[in-house]
Amino acid sequence: MASDVPSVTELLQEARRVYMLEFGNESPQVAACAPGRVNLIGEHTDYNQGLVLPMALPLVTVVVGSRASGRDVTVVTTSKDADEPRRVVFNLSSDASALSPGSPRWANYVKGVVQHYRAPFVQGFRAVIVSSVPLGGGLSSSASLEVAFYTFLQQLKPDDGDKLSKALACQQAEHTHAGVPCGIMDQFVSVLGREGHALLIDCRSLEASPIPLTDPDLVILITNSNVKHSLAGSEYPIRRQNCEEAAAILGKASLRDATVKDLEDARDRLNDVNYRRARHVIEEIDRTARAAEALKKGAYKEFGKLMVESHNSLRDLYEVSCRELDELVSAAMEVDGLFGSRMTGGGFGGCTVTLLQASAVDKTILQIQERYRGTPTFYVTTPSEGARALSLL
């Protein structure tokens, strides 16, 4: 069976309850939330200035809190998966070291957002974080936290409200404080997600085109492998370096400007690894453009075929899949009524995303449970709204 996703209202109630327990029965003044995301196609293309096609999820991070006297900041997370401690205190003094990354790791995302917030804070605050986005599942729990916290800060001290600048500030927080050189996709869709739509994002121009995804007979099934291999953190920057090296040899600012012909013409100047990484990215950008057109036309079989091609490329050329993800995709593809399936996210574990007929959901879940050697978690999802303030009334 698919997991029940707690509603935003339920998460908000839990956050308020924890806030009152932590802070002496005081009620929070403001609240905000931001979603995780699933990428339908266009993997490892965002940091190559390519195209991506994600959608915001009903899985969200909620932050509640209030201003506090003085400059002390106290933040509490309820996540059972977060590293200890789950309560941190730091001071917004002129000493920049207060916001330096450290331990616990989860607090680095908060510190990064505070540091890069576009209307600098001098007054302290208290906050509680509650989330339904699984950590390490490839559904961008980090961007969900960053964007939710930024949106929370906007309620305490408004900035100019520019959404693109907000996404870029949250991306910068991940670069400086989590040490992950991520592209813009995750923060962008968490800020700008639209209910009933996927977003085709051009990661060079930073333009987004909403693609309707409202067919009631169509379902997006996310399957969490519930594994995360240790390679995930170390291999990501290596892949990015491979791409930058290939682009430099091709004489391009990024692989967005390269064609397969450019790649083949330069093959004797590229080592095998950089050739394969670049080939995935160049072909994946083209696949994503074609997939967006297919989705507009309701050509779901064509879209599904491109999803499978994407997975195979991520497995064979980019080498970021793993046995568990391959098993999940293979099991799903044996079910009638299924259009396509692929790994989603950075890889080495996490989730797959599957496009299928609504009538095939139960069969697909049963098939995966029988074939997969692990213990998967399933989410039946729809494209959801992006970051927003929440009412506490």
Side-chain angles (χ1 to χ4, degrees):
M1 292 294 293
S3 295
D4 291 329
V5 175
S7 68
V8 173
T9 300
E10 290 170 328
L11 292 172
L12 182 60
Q13 288 173 344
E14 173 65 6
R16 293 177 75 163
R17 183 188 69 80
V18 173
Y19 186 92
M20 293 179 75
L21 280 175
E22 291 284 341
F23 300 114
N25 229 25
E26 173 190 333
S27 294
Q29 297 169 343
V30 298
C33 74
R37 64 95 189 96
V38 66
N39 192 22
L40 301 178
I41 195 167
E43 216 66 73
H44 289 278
T45 55
D46 59 342
Y47 53 84
N48 289 289
Q49 298 188 5
L51 303 175
V52 292
L53 187 62
M55 68 181 210
L57 292 173
L59 299 159
V60 302
T61 298
V62 169
V63 181
V64 303
S66 307
R67 295 179 185 85
S69 58
R71 292 188 173 187
D72 280 346
V73 170
T74 306
V75 184
V76 177
T77 180
T78 64
S79 173
K80 294 180 176 62
D81 296 322
D83 49 334
E84 299 286 355
R86 294 188 192 149
R87 179 185 179 116
V88 296
V89 179
F90 53 91
N91 188 272
L92 298 176
S93 63
S94 56
D95 181 3
S97 65
L99 294 176
S100 296
S103 181
R105 292 186 304 274
W106 67 265
N108 292 335
Y109 298 99
V110 172
K111 292 177 180 178
V113 170
V114 172
Q115 180 161 313
H116 294 286
Y117 188 69
R118 298 174 60 250
F121 262 83
V122 292
Q123 184 178 1
F125 58 87
R126 298 167 172 171
V128 167
I129 302 165
V130 175
S131 186
S132 59
V133 188
L135 294 185
L139 302 181
S140 202
S141 57
S142 58
S144 174
L145 171 56
E146 291 153 3
V147 174
F149 215 89
Y150 195 105
T151 309
F152 162 74
L153 294 182
Q154 286 178 307
Q155 313 315 305
L156 295 181
K157 184 177 182 182
D159 65 356
D160 61 10
D162 183 78
K163 291 187 174 182
L164 176 55
S165 297
K166 173 178 175 177
L168 290 168
C170 291
Q171 178 198 27
Q172 194 63 25
E174 185 139 349
H175 287 185
T176 60
H177 282 65
V180 178
C182 62
I184 191 60
M185 170 178 64
D186 297 353
Q187 292 83 6
F188 197 108
V189 72
S190 188
V191 171
L192 292 165
R194 284 181 58 174
E195 188 173 358
H197 294 77
L199 282 185
L200 179 65
I201 302 170
D202 185 325
C203 296
R204 179 165 57 186
S205 68
L206 299 181
E207 295 173 317
S209 305
I211 310 290
L213 195 54
T214 55
D215 186 334
D217 296 325
L218 193 70
V219 162
I220 304 292
L221 175 68
I222 297 171
T223 306
N224 192 344
S225 68
N226 287 313
V227 299
K228 184 173 177 63
H229 295 289
S230 58
L231 286 170
S234 60
E235 290 291 321
Y236 184 97
I238 293 172
R239 294 302 184 282
R240 184 164 186 159
Q241 182 181 350
N242 294 150
C243 293
E244 290 169 353
E245 289 172 356
I249 290 170
L250 295 175
K252 307 293 184 182
S254 75
L255 291 176
R256 171 66 179 275
D257 298 314
T259 64
V260 172
K261 183 179 184 304
D262 293 330
L263 188 64
E264 294 303 327
D265 288 346
R267 185 162 190 173
D268 61 345
R269 294 185 284 126
L270 290 160
N271 65 44
D272 182 59
V273 170
N274 287 359
Y275 169 81
R276 286 183 286 116
R277 305 299 186 250
R279 186 168 188 111
H280 163 74
V281 170
I282 293 167
E283 292 180 341
E284 183 82 347
I285 291 170
D286 177 65
R287 268 192 294 271
T288 305
R290 288 187 285 137
E293 289 304 312
L295 202 57
K296 287 179 188 176
K297 297 184 295 186
Y300 302 136
K301 286 185 178 179
E302 182 183 347
F303 189 95
K305 179 173 176 287
L306 293 165
M307 290 178 77
V308 175
E309 288 178 9
S310 172
H311 179 81
N312 292 343
S313 180
L314 288 159
R315 179 192 66 204
D316 300 335
L317 296 178
Y318 221 66
E319 297 181 283
V320 291
S321 190
C322 59
R323 175 188 61 78
E324 294 87 353
L325 294 174
D326 295 342
E327 272 186 18
L328 291 174
V329 169
S330 178
M333 291 305 300
E334 294 175 1
V335 180
D336 290 336
L338 188 140
F339 298 113
S341 185
R342 60 183 287 276
M343 61 154 281
T344 186
F348 304 106
C351 293
T352 61
V353 58
T354 303
L355 186 74
L356 68 167
Q357 294 173 354
S359 59
V361 171
D362 291 342
K363 288 186 296 182
T364 303
I365 290 175
L366 184 61
Q367 170 76 355
I368 291 173
Q369 287 174 328
E370 289 177 349
R371 286 280 311 279
Y372 179 55
R373 283 178 275 178
T375 306
T377 306
F378 301 96
Y379 303 96
V380 176
T381 64
T382 54
S384 301
E385 190 179 353
R388 56 204 182 270
L390 299 173
S391 172
L392 285 168
L393 298 179

